[in-house]
């Protein structure tokens, strides 16, 4: 399995806000690093800067986010499979995806694997790409993920602003 290709495929296919979200991830990473310059929008994740292990981790994070409300519904599964098929990902990789969907990672496992502020920003951005926080469970997933990775509210807000913003009246960082 080529995890970097799978990550690239998923971010592209699910990227209704791909360019804006990477800018948020970069801005969050820059805020963590104490820099304030504006991030130029680009693809969600610069796959050339992500090794195979992190790519696999981010794919697993995306799957966990998709199942945040307790189930990867038929439309979410169809979007993932369509993306894989259109990219020419083989049936073995689609089988891997199905296995991961059946046993998604939990927030603790994801957060414990994050070792840098930049990785935390990429991880949150990858999770946010997959879900629109329109259910209580999805908002809780994002809030808890941010808390466990020690992302500050302003860092989350920077990513959220690039991802289309926090739904009105439903703060993700509260």
């Amino acid at each position: 399995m080529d995890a970097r290709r799978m990550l690239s495929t998923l971010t592209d296919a699910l990227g209704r806000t791909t360019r804006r979200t990477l800018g948020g991830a970069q801005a969050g990473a820059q805020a963590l690093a104490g820099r304030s310059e504006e991030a130029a929008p680009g693809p969600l994740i610069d796959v050339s800067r992500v090794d195979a292990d992190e790519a696999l981790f981010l794919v697993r994070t995306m799957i966990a986010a998709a199942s945040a409300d307790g189930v990867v519904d038929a439309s979410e599964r169809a979007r993932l499979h369509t993306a894989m098929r259109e990219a020419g990902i083989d049936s073995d990789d689609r089988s891997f995806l199905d296995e991961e969907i059946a046993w998604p990672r939990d927030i603790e496992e994801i957060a414990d694997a994050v070792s840098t502020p930049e990785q935390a920003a990429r991880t949150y951005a990858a999770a946010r790409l997959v879900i629109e926080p329109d259910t209580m469970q999805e908002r809780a997933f994002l809030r808890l993920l941010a808390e466990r990775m020690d992302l500050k509210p302003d860092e989350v807000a920077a990513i959220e602003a690039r991802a289309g913003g926090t739904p009105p009246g439903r703060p993700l960082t509260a």
Side-chain angles (χ1 to χ4, degrees):
M1 171 184 62
D2 184 347
R4 290 176 70 202
R5 180 174 177 208
M6 186 181 292
L7 175 63
S8 178
T9 298
L10 290 173
T11 58
D12 288 346
L14 300 172
R16 61 194 173 283
T17 58
T18 299
R19 293 196 188 289
R20 293 190 332 243
T21 305
L22 175 57
Q26 289 174 338
Q30 289 172 350
L32 286 168
R35 297 182 305 223
S36 62
E37 65 264 15
E38 284 285 320
L44 175 62
I45 296 165
D46 182 355
V47 178
S48 69
R49 293 177 181 246
V50 175
D51 66 23
D53 289 337
E54 186 176 356
L56 182 58
F57 170 74
L58 292 173
V59 168
R60 287 178 167 150
T61 298
M62 295 168 89
I63 292 167
S67 66
D69 58 1
V71 65
V72 177
D73 65 33
S75 67
E76 291 167 327
R77 189 180 298 257
R79 282 177 57 202
L80 292 170
H81 281 285
T82 298
M84 302 300 263
R85 188 175 51 257
E86 288 175 358
I89 305 279
D90 64 29
S91 61
D92 287 341
D93 286 347
R94 286 193 302 272
S95 293
F96 162 79
L97 190 63
D98 282 333
E99 289 174 23
E100 290 294 322
I101 289 170
W103 299 101
R105 303 306 194 251
D106 64 28
I107 290 173
E108 296 298 318
E109 185 176 352
I110 293 167
D112 287 346
V114 172
S115 59
T116 68
E118 295 80 9
Q119 187 181 22
R122 285 191 299 270
T123 300
Y124 185 92
R128 181 58 176 85
L129 174 65
V130 175
I131 58 176
E132 290 295 329
D134 56 2
T135 68
M136 182 175 63
Q137 296 92 339
E138 290 168 340
R139 290 188 301 275
F141 178 91
L142 290 172
R143 182 181 50 78
L144 291 171
L145 181 63
E147 286 174 6
R148 284 289 290 119
M149 294 187 304
D150 296 324
L151 286 173
K152 295 178 180 85
D154 60 327
E155 296 158 351
V156 171
I159 297 168
E160 285 295 332
R162 295 299 206 151
T166 301
R170 300 187 215 170
L172 293 174
T173 58

